[in-house]
Amino acid sequence: MFNRKPVVTLENPTVEKAAESIKEAVSKRKAIILVGNCWVDYKGRASSKLESGERIVIIKKDGSVLIHRPFGYEPVNWQPAGCLFQTSIRGETLQVRASRKKPSESVKISFDKVFVLSSMNLIDRGEFSLHASELDMQKAILLDPSLLEEGFKPISYEKKVEPGFVDVYGVDREGRLVVVEIKRRTAGRNAALQLAKYVDFVKTVTRRELRGVLVAPHLAKGVQTLLTCLGLEFKALEPKNCADILRKSETRKLGDFF
Amino acid sequence: MFNRKPVVTLENPTVEKAAESIKEAVSKRKAIILVGNCWVDYKGRASSKLESGERIVIIKKDGSVLIHRPFGYEPVNWQPAGCLFQTSIRGETLQVRASRKKPSESVKISFDKVFVLSSMNLIDRGEFSLHASELDMQKAILLDPSLLEEGFKPISYEKKVEPGFVDVYGVDREGRLVVVEIKRRTAGRNAALQLAKYVDFVKTVTRRELRGVLVAPHLAKGVQTLLTCLGLEFKALEPKNCADILRKSETRKLGDFF
DNA sequence: TGCTAAATCTCGAAC
DNA sequence: GTTCGAGGTTTAGCA
């Protein structure tokens, strides 16, 4: 399984050797890690200058570039995916320029010493999932409808209505229809207005009594007033709680409910 | 100059050897680059799961962590500076956990194969300057006062007034005094109020006619109204234009003007 | 300490 | 293609 050699590392290469290696790696769509002493000039949406120092530079196969100092979460300089690269030797220095258009900008990195240069063919097809998404909150409410309120019974979810899709649709303990709109973060005016549109639409297709409930961790300023004006309700629900519910019920399938 | 050995690289270390090396590097406040096959779990403000794949992990001496897939500008998982680390072996896997409080969150990285492990003592004292800073804009206006308006003549800069320092102070083509406040980014209410304070102060020490001009690339919402109420003006000026002016006049010294 | 506004924001979806 | 909104946003500037 690990017989292939995905990483080739050069220690203390000459700048000439490094330039050659970078050109090859870029052309073969490999990822590159460069560690060495460098300085950086950026021109584009803004412009910046970084004086000489030892840093970590990552060039990815999609043409993105990251220049990291030995401290700090953010890269000091960078370039998003889609860059074209020019690698050259200028006297005693290795120069790598990453440019893109729209917006037109380029980062020029100059090395006078490379400590390590790794060229890598990394395989990464692993799926990334961020839990407690809006969908997770929806699933959690379907799994445990009391998260919305006692006696709530879901009828369907992602139900098509004219303006879009209702997140959850159900009946409360007194038999009234309930339209639920879910936001995983603080709900703003848009969320309230969206819910209002859904409720208005459902009103055109039924004569039953109807409630609209906005579910979110918090309401933005003034949205409670707006909800009241629109005759809608708010139910506070933390995405984290939903994630916990889902974790506890991982064995059960959502399909069981319908 | 480059006799020291700032980087030590292990190729294909066993997970045991890797764990040992990471513990030492963390305790000695070195930076670490790990390349290998791993999976990641995050719990905190949200929670996420990243399935197995080959990635680049950077641990910096300030306790920040970056997990980069072979594509994309952004790290797939990360942890800001100030983390505490737990490194251990769980069966055949190397496990690195980076945790912090406030907010309470942790990232757990599990490796079943390490291709490269570099421990680095990087020295980086280079200064970073984002050009077209507020100071650059100030210099540009002093170099070319027509950036503000035709006929403007600077008298001084960084002039002390009671509430602080006036960025630029001058006379317009009709002999009126002008107080200039510069912001390199969209100017908010604060900027307008700050300018108002300066103008009010200057009014107490002169009887000459007085204008207040806020210079910035843009105004935040509602600030134009506020300026009008305060009897102040706005002059749009892009930091980029200022940077261009400075580049063209690099040979001249600011001191020449006074 | 907490809040607000900006960022070379980036990224993705909708129009 | 452009605009709009979200992000584990992060970060810097103030109250």
Side-chain angles (χ1 to χ4, degrees):
Chain A
M1 179 171 181
F2 292 120
N3 291 342
R4 68 195 192 83
K5 187 156 168 64
V7 183
V8 175
T9 299
L10 303 180
E11 297 196 48
N12 295 308
T14 63
V15 288
E16 288 82 9
K17 185 75 187 151
E20 191 186 318
S21 189
I22 291 169
K23 282 179 190 169
E24 191 196 340
V26 166
S27 71
K28 290 191 176 169
R29 294 264 170 194
K30 291 184 174 184
I32 302 166
I33 299 178
L34 273 162
V35 182
N37 195 78
C38 66
W39 53 100
V40 185
D41 287 279
Y42 160 72
K43 282 203 191 338
R45 287 170 288 180
S47 56
S48 72
K49 181 185 234 175
L50 176 63
E51 294 174 351
S52 179
E54 297 171 359
R55 287 124 199 174
I56 300 165
V57 175
I58 297 177
I59 299 173
K60 295 191 184 183
K61 63 181 178 186
D62 62 359
S64 51
V65 182
L66 303 163
I67 300 156
H68 275 278
R69 310 189 79 166
F71 45 84
Y73 156 77
E74 290 194 327
V76 58
N77 280 109
W78 71 90
Q79 202 71 289
C83 286
L84 295 179
F85 295 89
Q86 293 168 279
T87 306
S88 59
I89 300 291
R90 292 275 189 279
E92 302 288 310
T93 70
L94 161 65
Q95 190 171 298
V96 180
R97 185 189 290 271
S99 312
R100 66 168 182 157
K101 297 166 179 167
K102 246 177 129 78
S104 164
E105 52 187 359
S106 84
V107 166
K108 185 178 78 182
I109 314 170
S110 306
F111 284 89
D112 59 7
K113 177 63 190 171
V114 176
F115 302 134
V116 182
L117 191 169
S118 294
S119 309
M120 302 165 289
N121 195 352
L122 301 180
I123 297 175
D124 180 1
R125 308 205 190 290
E127 190 181 327
F128 176 74
S129 54
L130 189 64
H131 297 188
S133 62
E134 192 172 300
L135 186 59
D136 285 313
M137 293 180 71
Q138 185 189 98
K139 285 180 187 167
I141 290 173
L142 294 170
L143 282 161
D144 181 2
S146 72
L147 283 171
L148 187 74
E149 63 184 32
E150 278 309 319
F152 175 68
K153 287 191 174 60
I155 298 169
S156 77
Y157 58 97
E158 295 296 342
K159 186 176 176 60
K160 180 88 182 75
V161 294
E162 202 39 61
F165 295 86
V166 167
D167 290 336
V168 175
Y169 185 61
V171 190
D172 73 9
R173 75 169 79 84
E174 313 201 345
R176 293 173 293 203
L177 287 177
V178 184
V179 171
V180 182
E181 174 65 24
I182 302 170
K183 291 292 167 196
R184 63 180 297 270
R185 317 192 317 163
T186 303
R189 307 181 67 83
N190 282 345
L193 296 170
Q194 191 178 2
L195 175 57
K197 271 195 273 183
Y198 294 165
V199 168
D200 286 348
F201 174 82
V202 176
K203 271 184 186 159
T204 66
V205 295
T206 180
R207 284 195 207 136
R208 291 175 63 174
E209 206 175 340
L210 192 56
R211 297 166 55 201
V213 181
L214 179 56
V215 171
H218 305 281
L219 285 184
K221 216 179 215 172
V223 177
Q224 179 59 68
T225 312
L226 177 59
L227 282 176
T228 308
C229 292
L230 295 166
L232 304 172
E233 303 164 44
F234 168 60
K235 167 65 186 179
L237 183 58
E238 290 296 330
K240 199 168 181 327
N241 297 351
C242 297
D244 293 341
I245 297 279
L246 287 181
R247 212 169 301 130
K248 287 172 192 160
S249 335
E250 255 169 10
T251 49
R252 299 177 68 184
K253 276 228 187 79
L254 187 59
D256 297 348
F257 284 82
F258 302 100
Chain B
M1 180 171 180
F2 291 121
N3 291 341
R4 69 195 192 84
K5 189 158 167 62
V7 182
V8 174
T9 299
L10 303 180
E11 297 196 47
N12 295 307
T14 63
V15 289
E16 289 82 8
K17 185 73 187 150
E20 191 187 318
S21 189
I22 292 169
K23 282 179 190 170
E24 191 197 341
V26 166
S27 72
K28 290 191 177 169
R29 294 263 169 194
K30 292 184 174 183
I32 303 166
I33 299 177
L34 273 161
V35 182
N37 195 78
C38 66
W39 53 100
V40 184
D41 287 279
Y42 158 75
K43 283 203 191 341
R45 285 170 290 179
S47 56
S48 72
K49 182 186 234 177
L50 177 63
E51 294 174 350
S52 179
E54 298 170 359
R55 285 126 200 172
I56 300 165
V57 175
I58 297 177
I59 299 174
K60 295 190 183 182
K61 62 181 179 186
D62 61 0
S64 51
V65 182
L66 303 163
I67 299 157
H68 275 277
R69 310 189 78 166
F71 45 84
Y73 157 78
E74 293 190 325
V76 59
N77 280 109
W78 70 91
Q79 202 71 292
C83 286
L84 295 178
F85 295 90
Q86 293 169 281
T87 307
S88 58
I89 301 291
R90 293 273 189 277
E92 302 288 310
T93 70
L94 161 65
Q95 191 171 297
V96 180
R97 184 189 291 272
S99 311
R100 66 167 181 159
K101 298 166 180 167
K102 242 175 127 83
S104 163
E105 51 188 358
S106 84
V107 165
K108 185 179 78 182
I109 314 170
S110 306
F111 284 90
D112 59 6
K113 176 63 191 171
V114 177
F115 302 135
V116 182
L117 191 168
S118 294
S119 309
M120 301 166 288
N121 195 352
L122 301 181
I123 297 176
D124 179 2
R125 308 205 189 292
E127 190 180 328
F128 176 73
S129 53
L130 191 63
H131 296 186
S133 62
E134 193 174 300
L135 186 59
D136 285 314
M137 293 179 72
Q138 185 188 99
K139 286 180 187 167
I141 289 174
L142 294 171
L143 282 161
D144 180 1
S146 72
L147 283 171
L148 187 74
E149 63 183 33
E150 278 309 319
F152 176 67
K153 287 192 173 59
I155 298 169
S156 77
Y157 58 97
E158 295 296 344
K159 186 177 175 59
K160 181 89 181 72
V161 293
E162 202 38 63
F165 295 86
V166 167
D167 289 335
V168 175
Y169 185 60
V171 190
D172 72 9
R173 75 169 77 84
E174 312 201 345
R176 292 172 293 202
L177 287 176
V178 185
V179 171
V180 182
E181 174 64 25
I182 301 170
K183 293 290 167 196
R184 66 175 290 269
R185 311 182 296 183
T186 303
R189 307 181 68 82
N190 283 343
L193 296 170
Q194 191 178 1
L195 175 57
K197 271 194 274 182
Y198 294 164
V199 168
D200 286 348
F201 174 82
V202 176
K203 271 183 185 159
T204 66
V205 296
T206 181
R207 284 193 205 139
R208 291 175 62 174
E209 206 174 340
L210 194 56
R211 298 167 55 201
V213 181
L214 179 56
V215 172
H218 305 282
L219 285 184
K221 216 179 211 170
V223 176
Q224 178 59 69
T225 313
L226 178 59
L227 281 175
T228 308
C229 292
L230 295 166
L232 304 172
E233 304 164 45
F234 168 59
K235 167 66 187 182
L237 183 58
E238 290 296 328
K240 197 169 181 326
N241 296 352
C242 297
D244 294 340
I245 297 279
L246 287 181
R247 210 168 302 129
K248 286 171 193 160
S249 335
E250 254 168 11
T251 49
R252 298 178 69 184
K253 277 229 187 79
L254 188 58
D256 297 348
F257 284 81
F258 301 101

